[in-house]
């Protein structure tokens, strides 16, 4: 029998008093434990050995169960981390998609605004040319009521075309600022996504 009796029990348990009185050391006892237990012929000593073995087995079983529990807890934690990582990655992918969509929309709006500005500038230039032409004609012949009406109409068209050109320029500038913001947001989202993808969740 091995591992049943420890040094403390041998030195202080009264059931081993006879052996201690005979000068048997703990080391000698452990080296010939089975012999000394049989020599004592004591049921209480045998029970103590058996009890020690049972306790040792219980401890081994408990230790094994603790390891199993610890491993299960670790595995669950890893699963939770991976689950959270997947959720975060999915959220960021959705965020990236929305950011890219907003950038594409901003690019389209800016292109439309530039085209509208170009058309408004062309209309303004045409209205200005017509106004200048009629202005010269009107200055030469101010007695013509029809010519005066055309001149006044050209003046109104020029004013309207100037206002439209100003509004188109403002809308183009606003669209440009929106495009810059959308582009920066898309870039920041891309950088964040890349950083998350590089994180090692197995460490």
């Amino acid at each position: 029998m091995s591992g049943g009796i420890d040094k403390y029990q041998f030195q202080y348990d009264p059931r081993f008093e006879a052996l201690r009185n005979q000068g048997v050391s703990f080391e000698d006892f452990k080296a010939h434990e089975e012999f000394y237990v049989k020599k004592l012929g004591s049921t209480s000593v045998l029970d103590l050995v058996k009890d020690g073995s049972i306790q040792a087995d219980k401890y081994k079983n408990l230790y094994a169960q603790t390891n199993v529990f610890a491993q299960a807890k670790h595995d669950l934690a890893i699963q939770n981390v991976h689950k959270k990582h997947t959720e975060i990655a999915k959220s960021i992918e959705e965020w990236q998609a929305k950011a890219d969509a907003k950038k594409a929309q901003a690019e389209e709006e800016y292109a439309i605004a530039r085209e509208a500005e170009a058309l408004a500038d062309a209309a303004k230039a045409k209205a200005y040319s017509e106004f200048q032409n009629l202005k010269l004609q009107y200055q030469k012949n101010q007695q013509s009521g029809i010519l005066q009406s055309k001149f006044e109409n050209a003046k109104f068209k020029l004013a309207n075309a100037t206002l439209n050109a100003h509004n188109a320029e403002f809308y183009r500038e606003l669209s440009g600022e929106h495009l810059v913001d959308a582009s920066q947001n898309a870039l920041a989202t891309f950088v964040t996504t890349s950083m998350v993808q590089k994180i090692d969740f197995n460490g």
Side-chain angles (χ1 to χ4, degrees):
M1 297 181 184
S2 61
I5 307 300
D6 59 28
K7 189 172 184 178
Y8 180 85
Q9 290 173 316
F10 180 79
Q11 288 179 344
Y12 297 100
D13 195 297
R15 287 170 286 194
F16 298 100
E17 186 176 0
L19 290 178
R20 291 196 301 269
N21 291 339
Q22 293 173 17
V24 177
S25 68
F26 175 72
E27 289 73 18
D28 290 338
F29 173 78
K30 292 305 291 184
H32 307 91
E33 184 173 350
E34 188 174 352
F35 167 76
Y36 283 117
V37 169
K38 287 181 179 179
K39 183 178 179 181
L40 287 173
S42 169
T43 303
S44 59
V45 173
L46 291 173
D47 290 342
L48 184 61
V49 173
K50 291 178 181 178
D51 182 63
S53 298
I54 291 172
Q55 291 299 327
D57 289 341
K58 285 183 178 179
Y59 174 77
K60 290 178 182 178
N61 291 335
L62 181 61
Y63 182 76
Q65 291 174 8
T66 302
N67 284 341
V68 170
F69 174 75
Q71 185 62 43
K73 185 177 180 181
H74 174 73
D75 292 344
L76 181 60
I78 292 297
Q79 290 175 7
N80 288 337
V81 168
H82 281 293
K83 181 180 178 183
K84 195 65 180 177
H85 172 239
T86 302
E87 292 174 356
I88 292 173
K90 183 178 179 181
S91 297
I92 291 182
E93 285 176 3
E94 293 174 356
W95 183 23
Q96 180 75 63
K98 289 179 181 178
D100 290 342
K102 287 183 178 179
K103 179 186 176 184
Q105 182 180 357
E107 288 174 344
E108 183 179 356
E109 290 176 356
Y110 183 69
I112 292 173
R114 288 190 63 182
E115 184 178 355
E117 183 182 24
L119 291 174
D121 287 342
K124 176 185 174 182
K126 182 180 179 182
Y128 180 77
S129 177
E130 291 177 356
F131 170 77
Q132 287 296 105
N133 185 38
L134 286 169
K135 181 180 179 181
L136 290 174
Q137 293 182 37
Y138 178 68
Q139 288 175 345
K140 289 180 181 179
N141 190 1
Q142 295 184 0
Q143 292 80 12
S144 173
I146 295 175
L147 192 59
Q148 181 180 3
S149 177
K150 288 183 177 180
F151 173 68
E152 293 297 332
N153 187 45
K155 186 191 293 186
F156 173 77
K157 284 184 177 180
L158 176 58
N160 191 49
T162 302
L163 179 62
N164 288 341
H166 176 74
N167 290 338
E169 181 183 11
F170 175 76
Y171 178 68
R172 189 262 307 158
E173 291 176 351
L174 192 65
S175 298
E177 292 176 0
H178 184 209
L179 175 58
V180 170
D181 290 340
S183 298
Q184 290 177 344
N185 184 50
L187 177 60
T189 306
F190 173 76
V191 171
T192 303
T193 303
S194 300
M195 290 174 62
V196 171
Q197 290 174 343
K198 290 179 181 179
I199 295 175
D200 183 9
F201 285 85
N202 295 316

